[in-house]
Amino acid sequence: MRSRTRFECWPLRAEPRPRPACWSDRIPDTEVHNAAGPANHWFYLVAEGTNPGGGKPSSPVCAGGPDSVTGLGIRTAGRIWMTALMQKTSFWKYADARVATLNAVTQLYPGDCARFDTVKAAWDAVSVPAQSAEPGRPGDCGQSAPSFSLNVAPTAVETLPGGTATSTVTTRTTSGDPQNVTLTASGLPDGARAVFDPPSVETGGSSVLTVSTADDTPAGTHRITVTGTGTDGSRSAALALTVRQTTPDTCTGHEETRTGSLRAGSAAYQPEGGYYRTSVTGTHRACLQAPDSADFDLSLLKWNGRSWQVVAEATAPGTMLTHTGPAGYYRYRIQARAGGGDYNFGYDTP
């Protein structure tokens, strides 16, 4: 008798996974699959570009990158990436991948200025900086048009009313000759003032931005746009300025605590914009303390395999949210219905 082999199809369970699309200095500490986000973004830009059309999704560049990238097609992108992987060594970093792909395009397409420029622009578009070991533009391509990038670090700062906060604006030449860039800031809250030191830089240089607030500057998180204007146009980067209010009472006695600030109509997800996983059935407990003048809601959400579903809510800050539920992925949503200001949040997991 011939034996039969039984095959069973197991359902795939979708799990929430935040994948950053832009490189930052936090990528080396990010879970390996999530850390592949900038590489996936780079490949799509090389293959399809920023606005491929034909029903394909657009893929905007990261802060400080070029205005746009024109794709080369998936076959060309695949050849370049696979050739680059032949140079891969242990402990490869994004800087190594950038150098390897630029070496690959010069090997596969000698003297092809357009392909070289696209691969380079795609790395700039995902915020992987230029490396000293990368090859230069093919000699017979001539001098490329001047271009530059602009970034701010840190991207989020905070202060009390009447105080100051600082961030460093960094520029670099991405092609052509260096150029002079004049720096400005917009979107400042009432009573705030921005000063750059120096107010203009040659690309490759940096400037310190100091934001000074007044005693009556409204509390909350404000988006400031930092703009650098050079000979080939402007580049912008966002800076989140949080003006703190009087600190509410702290939720104490919990395994995890967090603090933050919200303006009316905005929301935040905890922990740290992500989620947590529990492998057992048990009780989730959380506490939210917010200013008395504000109306904050606290919700516990569970991932059902397709979307986040609210499983418990508390609409009176200062009271405890308690929910008993099965194993799975969870996160908290803190929402400012009216008013705004600082909050303290604590929670326990099963």
Side-chain angles (χ1 to χ4, degrees):
M1 179 181 294
R2 185 187 307 174
S3 63
R4 294 183 179 179
T5 303
R6 180 183 179 185
F7 295 92
E8 295 183 354
C9 296
W10 294 89
L12 295 176
R13 181 177 65 180
E15 297 179 357
R17 176 175 289 167
R19 294 183 178 92
C22 303
W23 185 90
S24 72
D25 54 10
R26 292 177 293 180
I27 289 293
D29 298 321
T30 303
E31 191 273 331
V32 62
H33 297 93
N34 298 341
N40 296 336
H41 188 187
W42 171 86
F43 188 88
Y44 187 85
L45 289 172
V46 174
E48 303 291 351
T50 47
N51 297 290
K56 299 176 183 178
S58 297
S59 184
V61 302
C62 303
D67 294 333
S68 63
V69 177
T70 301
L72 303 174
I74 194 168
R75 290 177 62 88
T76 299
R79 288 192 68 195
I80 293 170
W81 182 240
M82 290 305 298
T83 303
L85 288 179
M86 299 298 291
Q87 307 171 49
K88 188 177 184 297
T89 59
S90 300
F91 306 107
W92 232 34
K93 299 179 180 179
Y94 269 97
D96 302 312
R98 174 175 172 132
V99 173
T101 53
L102 288 171
N103 284 332
V105 74
T106 58
Q107 295 166 16
L108 293 168
Y109 308 102
D112 192 319
C113 308
R115 285 187 171 95
F116 182 90
D117 290 345
T118 294
V119 172
K120 183 174 183 292
W123 283 122
D124 293 337
V126 299
S127 299
V128 175
Q131 304 298 311
S132 59
E134 70 185 51
R137 200 165 187 251
D140 56 354
C141 292
Q143 182 66 27
S144 56
S147 184
F148 70 97
S149 65
L150 180 147
N151 291 282
V152 296
T155 56
V157 295
E158 61 181 57
T159 183
L160 292 170
T164 62
T166 61
S167 183
T168 300
V169 183
T170 302
T171 64
R172 63 185 176 88
T173 305
T174 56
S175 65
D177 293 326
Q179 56 187 291
N180 192 68
V181 173
T182 301
L183 301 170
T184 57
S186 59
L188 294 162
D190 293 342
R193 186 170 63 97
V195 175
F196 294 91
D197 183 20
S200 63
V201 296
E202 186 177 78
T203 51
S206 60
S207 176
V208 176
L209 166 61
T210 301
V211 179
S212 303
T213 61
D215 292 338
D216 59 352
T217 296
T221 299
H222 310 275
R223 178 187 171 91
I224 297 173
T225 300
V226 178
T227 301
T229 303
T231 56
D232 77 315
S234 299
R235 307 287 186 273
S236 297
L239 174 67
L241 170 69
T242 298
V243 180
R244 295 290 184 190
Q245 233 177 19
T246 55
T247 304
D249 296 334
T250 303
C251 289
T252 59
H254 294 276
E255 296 171 358
E256 301 286 344
T257 58
R258 300 289 190 274
T259 60
S261 184
L262 291 174
R263 63 180 183 275
S266 62
Y269 292 92
Q270 295 287 0
E272 307 297 341
Y275 55 88
Y276 64 90
R277 179 180 180 271
T278 176
S279 59
V280 297
T281 297
T283 301
H284 304 254
R285 296 181 178 86
C287 166
L288 176 66
Q289 294 285 352
D292 293 338
S293 59
D295 179 11
F296 279 30
D297 289 351
L298 175 64
S299 304
L300 177 64
L301 294 82
K302 183 180 184 298
W303 182 253
N304 64 14
R306 296 185 304 273
S307 62
W308 291 101
Q309 178 181 8
V310 175
V311 294
E313 289 184 290
T315 58
T319 60
M320 183 73 71
L321 182 153
T322 303
H323 173 75
T324 299
Y329 294 88
Y330 292 86
R331 68 178 180 179
Y332 287 96
R333 181 179 64 209
I334 302 170
Q335 190 164 8
R337 297 290 184 183
D342 296 347
Y343 65 84
N344 278 291
F345 171 68
Y347 68 99
D348 303 310
T349 61

